[in-house]
């Protein structure tokens, strides 16, 4: 097939992308993809099974060596063309993100814009030499290292930033010379297929990229069992990531995991309160709080605690909840209405144990209103568990030492933030926080294509971005060269 989708009874029916072709599954089965803002049917999407997954792996395995052997100018030219295609499809992809993931317009536009920088970053990485030379002990000998592609990498993408996070995996794996099999989230499959459209139109050689929406269990089992898949890169829940790590270890596949978080934003007493409130609000209410690095705990020093709570709750109450297409909407729909019950459970538990509800705790359909709690303690579920919604806990601390202790009292360790004008305390906190990322005088939500994105503890394993992905997605090889003849002892 030459088209990514066909219109049937007014609804787009999307195909799989395997070995450079748009194709139906052998079973010709599809699933309904709904708009979380309205509950209406958005698209139908073909579902891959074992046969399609095996075909995708074979295609990627058969294509990567010739791709890695191309001159760098030819490979980077594909990325430059992909940027041009992305520019031509930016509005279309933004519309898909709004309709399929419930992203407000600003967040959807950010994802698309990020990927322009990502393509430039990946093209630059192709020109960077990752090897080094080194002296050897043997007379007349020197050594050097090179990095070579692993082969086939499989990526499992999430629903919350489905274009950005899937594209990051795809682009950097291709830049490293690998073939790729992408399984997009079952909740946002069309967004993943848009990545295939971009690279197909950019002239990426067939087989290098394959996008196969479908049931996680069937596709995952096939990927785990196939020795040609050398690495799995995953973004999603900690529970799923743990399972993936165990299965990957059985066949010694590499893996990177970017998982959950319970990130803390520390606000010290000397902070500009209005600035801190704005930072904290963005850090939890961006994309309805469905962000792994959201500051779902805000630790505020005692002297400014009451004022901060009052101003923060006022901001939360002012945020518009509603249609993500409307330009002044800040809080759009959760991806699933069932998440409202999870959030309700956290709030009811916290209030029952003494927390104070400052605002929110109301919902309708898939929409949950911005919610703020104070007086949260470690005995409450919400202190430890991800709500993955627009709800945060404001916790009073005596000083920066207690803030550090409470911030680290979690099984997660993804992102963190500190707002203070005291650089000595800021650096002490930055070095002491158990987190993969620390942002001084900023909230916890930040990402760029070239940085080492990732966490510690239950938040992740490995790093994504720029040269850090290139290192994860390649094999280092040591080579020696003997000048003249070596003297052997026998």
């Amino acid at each position: 097939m030459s088209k990514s989708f066909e219109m049937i009874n007014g609804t787009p029916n999307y195909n799989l992308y395997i070995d450079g072709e748009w194709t139906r599954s052998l079973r010709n089965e599809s699933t309904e993809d709904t708009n979380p803002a309205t509950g209406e049917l958005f698209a139908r999407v073909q579902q891959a099974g074992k046969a399609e997954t095996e075909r995708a792996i074979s295609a990627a395995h058969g294509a990567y060596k010739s791709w890695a052997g191309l001159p760098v100018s030819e490979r980077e030219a594909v990325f430059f063309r992909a940027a041009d295609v992305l520019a031509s499809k930016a509005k279309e992809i933004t519309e898909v993100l709004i309709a399929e993931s419930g992203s407000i317009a600003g967040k959807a536009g950010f994802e698309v814009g990020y990927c322009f920088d990502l393509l430039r970053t990946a093209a630059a990485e192709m020109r960077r030499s990752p090897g080094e030379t080194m002296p050897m002990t043997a007379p007349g000998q020197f050594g050097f290292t090179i990095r070579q592609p692993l082969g086939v990498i499989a990526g499992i993408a999430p629903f919350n930033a489905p274009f950005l996070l899937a594209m990051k995996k795809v682009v950097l794996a291709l830049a490293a010379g690998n073939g790729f099999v992408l399984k997009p989230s079952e909740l946002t499959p069309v967004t993943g297929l848009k990545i295939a459209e971009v690279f197909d139109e950019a002239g990426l050689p067939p087989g290098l990229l394959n996008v196969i929406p479908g049931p996680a269990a069937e596709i995952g089992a096939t990927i785990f069992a196939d020795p040609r898949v050398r690495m799995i890169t995953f973004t999603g829940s900690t529970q799923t990531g743990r399972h993936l790590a165990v299965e990957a270890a059985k066949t010694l596949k590499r893996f990177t995991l970017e998982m959950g978080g319970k990130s803390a934003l520390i606000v010290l007493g000397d902070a500009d309160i209005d600035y801190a409130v704005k930072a904290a609000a963005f850090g939890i209410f961006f994309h309805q709080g469905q962000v792994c690095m959201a500051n779902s705990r805000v630790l505020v020093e005692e002297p400014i605690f009451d004022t901060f709570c009052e101003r923060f709750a006022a901001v939360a109450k002012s945020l518009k909840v509603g249609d993500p297409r409307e330009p002044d909407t800040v809080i759009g729909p959760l991806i699933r209405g069932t998440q409202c019950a999870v959030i309700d459970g956290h709030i009811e538990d916290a209030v029952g144990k003494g927390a104070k509800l400052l605002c929110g705790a109301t919902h309708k359909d898939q929409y949950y209103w911005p919610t703020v709690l104070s007086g949260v303690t470690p005995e409450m579920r919400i202190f430890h568990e991800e709500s993955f919604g627009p709800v945060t806990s404001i916790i009073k601390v005596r000083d920066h030492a207690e803030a550090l202790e409470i911030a680290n009292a979690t099984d997660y360790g993804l992102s963190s933030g500190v707002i203070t004008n005291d650089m000595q305390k800021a650096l002490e906190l930055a070095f002491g926080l158990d987190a993969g990322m620390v942002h001084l005088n900023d909230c916890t939500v930040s990402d760029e294509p070239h940085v080492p994105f990732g966490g510690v503890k239950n938040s992740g394993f490995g790093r994504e971005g720029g040269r850090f992905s290139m290192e994860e997605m390649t094999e280092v090889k040591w080579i020696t060269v003997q000048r003249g003849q070596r003297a052997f002892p026998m």
Side-chain angles (χ1 to χ4, degrees):
M1 293 182 181
S2 58
K3 294 182 179 180
S4 58
F5 68 91
E6 306 158 87
M7 295 299 295
I8 300 177
N9 296 325
T11 300
N13 284 245
Y14 279 85
N15 299 304
L16 310 174
Y17 185 72
I18 302 174
D19 200 11
E21 296 180 348
W22 297 101
T23 179
R24 294 190 182 99
S25 66
L26 291 177
R27 295 177 293 200
N28 196 24
E29 292 181 356
S30 62
T31 188
E32 293 188 346
D33 184 13
T34 58
N35 182 326
T38 64
E40 297 173 353
L41 179 64
F42 169 65
R44 291 186 177 88
V45 181
Q46 285 284 309
Q47 297 291 283
K50 180 179 179 180
E52 290 78 20
T53 306
E54 289 178 343
R55 185 182 165 208
I57 293 169
S58 294
H61 188 262
Y64 87 89
K65 287 185 180 179
S66 58
W67 166 251
L70 288 175
V72 65
S73 57
E74 293 185 29
R75 287 187 289 131
E76 70 181 4
V78 174
F79 282 63
F80 295 147
R81 291 196 299 271
D84 292 338
V85 174
L86 180 59
S88 71
K89 299 173 75 70
K91 183 177 180 180
E92 173 191 339
I93 294 170
T94 299
E95 288 294 318
V96 169
L97 282 165
I98 294 170
E100 188 178 47
S101 72
S103 299
I104 64 170
K107 183 263 187 184
F110 164 76
E111 281 200 53
V112 175
Y114 180 103
C115 291
F116 286 106
D117 284 346
L118 177 60
L119 287 163
R120 287 189 284 265
T121 296
E125 285 296 334
M126 293 183 192
R127 292 278 184 178
R128 190 179 64 84
S129 174
E132 60 180 322
T133 60
M134 56 192 68
M136 299 289 105
T137 302
Q141 190 177 88
F142 73 92
F144 62 95
T145 62
I146 61 171
R147 284 192 171 271
Q148 294 180 308
L150 295 176
V152 179
I153 297 177
I156 301 173
F159 72 83
N160 57 341
F163 193 70
L164 185 160
L165 292 174
M167 184 72 97
K168 182 187 284 189
K169 299 176 189 303
V170 168
V171 166
L172 290 165
L174 293 175
N178 299 287
F180 203 86
V181 177
L182 173 65
K183 186 211 167 297
S185 168
E186 293 167 56
L187 298 170
T188 52
V190 172
T191 303
L193 291 164
K194 291 298 173 184
I195 296 174
E197 286 184 10
V198 168
F199 277 101
D200 185 66
E201 292 183 31
L204 183 72
L208 282 170
L209 173 61
N210 306 271
V211 182
I212 49 170
E218 188 172 359
I219 291 176
T222 307
I223 287 171
F224 292 136
D226 198 311
R228 294 172 297 180
V229 178
R230 296 288 308 283
M231 177 181 175
I232 300 172
T233 172
F234 167 82
T235 300
S237 72
T238 297
Q239 180 181 2
T240 303
R242 283 178 174 272
H243 171 72
L244 185 153
V246 170
E247 293 302 313
K250 291 178 181 178
T251 52
L252 297 180
K253 298 185 193 301
R254 288 193 188 185
F255 55 85
T256 58
L257 308 174
E258 198 276 284
M259 304 184 292
K262 197 66 185 175
S263 298
L265 173 64
I266 298 172
V267 182
L268 298 186
D270 68 326
D272 181 313
I273 297 178
D274 288 332
Y275 174 77
V277 165
K278 290 177 182 178
F282 177 81
I284 186 57
F285 298 130
F286 178 71
H287 196 42
Q288 298 78 260
Q290 299 173 124
V291 179
C292 53
M293 51 184 160
N295 43 237
S296 53
R297 295 182 299 154
V298 184
L299 283 50
V300 182
E301 206 166 13
E302 194 168 13
I304 63 170
F305 179 80
D306 291 339
T307 303
F308 182 93
C309 287
E310 180 183 351
R311 296 184 189 179
F312 187 83
V315 169
K317 292 175 185 177
S318 73
L319 302 178
K320 179 181 175 180
V321 180
D323 186 348
R325 294 186 181 280
E326 296 181 2
D328 57 342
T329 295
V330 177
I331 306 293
L334 296 173
I335 194 72
R336 287 174 290 205
T338 53
Q339 189 65 20
C340 293
V342 175
I343 299 172
D344 278 347
H346 286 170
I347 294 170
E348 290 165 7
D349 173 78
V351 172
K353 293 175 180 175
K356 181 180 180 182
L357 179 65
L358 301 184
C359 67
T362 59
H363 58 86
K364 181 180 180 182
D365 300 325
Q366 290 92 270
Y367 294 89
Y368 209 101
W369 267 251
T371 301
V372 184
L373 293 166
S374 66
V376 170
T377 65
E379 292 73 34
M380 302 170 187
R381 288 174 54 203
I382 200 168
F383 183 93
H384 302 282
E385 298 177 19
E386 261 193 310
S387 300
F388 226 61
V391 53
T392 195
S393 305
I394 308 178
I395 301 168
K396 184 189 296 184
V397 295
R398 291 187 303 273
D399 52 29
H400 76 287
E402 185 182 34
L404 179 63
E405 180 182 353
I406 293 175
N408 287 341
T410 173
D411 292 332
Y412 293 107
L414 185 56
S415 188
S416 56
V418 180
I419 298 181
T420 177
N421 291 311
D422 189 329
M423 190 52 63
Q424 187 65 37
K425 290 179 180 178
L427 290 175
E428 185 177 338
L429 289 167
F431 278 80
L433 283 162
D434 293 337
M437 301 172 286
V438 181
H439 305 295
L440 302 182
N441 288 321
D442 202 351
C443 69
T444 58
V445 175
S446 185
D447 186 15
E448 294 196 30
H450 61 288
V451 304
F453 190 97
V456 299
K457 299 194 285 190
N458 282 351
S459 286
F461 185 92
R463 295 293 183 270
E464 282 189 335
R467 67 180 178 86
F468 305 95
S469 282
M470 300 290 277
E471 291 170 1
E472 299 275 7
M473 294 177 167
T474 54
E475 199 78 72
V476 65
K477 180 180 287 186
W478 172 44
I479 300 173
T480 66
V481 178
Q482 180 67 43
R483 293 177 294 163
Q485 295 186 344
R486 179 180 173 183
F488 295 100
M490 60 186 74

